[in-house]
Amino acid sequence: RDADALPLPPHIFKVADSAYRALLREGRDQSILVSGESGSGKTETTKHVMNYLAYVSSANFARAPLSRAETATTDRIRTTESKVLSSNPLLESFGNAMTLRNDNSSRFGKYVDLNFAVSGRLTGGAVQTYLIETSRVVLQTSGERNFHIFYQLLEGAEALDPNLVSSLSIANGVAAFAYVRGTPSARGVPGEARGGEGGRAATRGGYGAKGAAEHGV
């Protein structure tokens, strides 16, 4: 933090911290562009940036004296932070897939808009997705997989919600569906046998597991 004088190459937290402090100092919107080739770490970098911004905004807010109104809304703001951070695994479930180069490759573009109060507190956020590779649903290159959410539901729905298997008619697992049958397992997808991070994130974000599946959240 505040290490502008150090002659170091760009660092995730330093870039995020500089943008956050410029936001507070100048009162102007800030942008961080995360780019790179497949497998270079764009998805993980974005998660680190979001986690850092949520952390530093909470730390600054905790040190500031709270008004009566701010005290009354603290729990609501913490819930907002949790929902914003929980959006990452949910988006990965529906938009990421295993490719030949990367077990957790994002097959879509993502624009994350985080909103901060004048005090610097994170108050909300929105995510816009674009250019999603919809053709992957029906056709995958040999050695690649469909989107993670299909496998997470088929392999872990019962652990997530005992009624989900029957309500979605997926009792026969991966082998019963042509679009996912015969595809390899992905080493980089956590929790698949337990319903995946997507299902748990849907619950933390205010969606039921079934609701997230039905509405494509």
Side-chain angles (χ1 to χ4, degrees):
R1 179 186 296 179
D2 297 329
D4 294 320
L6 297 179
L8 299 174
H11 188 278
I12 298 172
F13 297 148
K14 181 63 179 67
V15 171
D17 189 72
S18 295
Y20 178 73
R21 297 188 182 284
L23 175 72
L24 297 182
R25 182 176 61 252
E26 301 172 9
R28 299 176 58 184
D29 292 345
Q30 304 292 315
S31 296
I32 299 175
L33 177 63
V34 181
S35 62
E37 63 181 14
S38 178
S40 61
K42 297 183 296 295
T43 297
E44 292 303 312
T45 296
T46 301
K47 288 191 289 188
H48 285 309
V49 167
M50 292 179 66
N51 276 290
Y52 179 82
L53 290 174
Y55 167 78
V56 73
S57 68
S58 296
N60 286 344
F61 190 75
R63 289 195 295 268
L66 301 181
S67 67
R68 182 175 301 176
E70 287 174 326
T71 301
T73 59
T74 296
D75 289 341
R76 178 183 60 79
I77 292 174
R78 286 175 178 168
T79 300
T80 299
E81 289 177 356
S82 177
K83 288 183 177 181
V84 169
L85 297 178
S86 294
S87 69
N88 277 313
L90 193 57
L91 287 170
E92 286 183 32
S93 290
F94 282 91
N96 288 24
M98 175 183 172
T99 66
L100 294 176
R101 297 185 63 181
N102 184 359
D103 280 356
N104 191 34
S105 177
S106 296
R107 311 313 301 165
F108 66 103
K110 178 170 59 176
Y111 177 79
V112 182
D113 185 12
L114 300 180
N115 303 315
F116 295 86
V118 175
S119 63
R121 183 73 176 193
L122 177 64
T123 58
V127 180
Q128 298 179 22
T129 61
Y130 54 93
L131 297 178
I132 189 164
E133 187 187 29
T134 53
S135 60
R136 181 170 291 270
V137 173
V138 297
L139 181 65
Q140 305 97 41
T141 300
S142 177
E144 297 191 352
R145 301 206 319 174
N146 214 318
F147 292 107
H148 294 330
I149 188 62
F150 295 113
Y151 307 93
Q152 290 172 339
L153 279 174
L154 291 169
E155 297 295 335
E158 186 171 1
L160 193 64
D161 182 348
N163 298 319
L164 199 58
V165 173
S166 58
S167 62
L168 296 180
S169 301
I170 55 175
N172 294 325
V174 172
F177 298 92
Y179 290 155
V180 293
R181 184 190 306 135
T183 52
S185 60
R187 296 176 298 278
V189 184
E192 198 162 279
R194 304 186 303 277
E197 290 296 323
R200 291 187 291 278
T203 302
R204 292 193 299 270
Y207 303 100
K210 182 180 178 183
E214 289 178 341
H215 297 294
V217 174

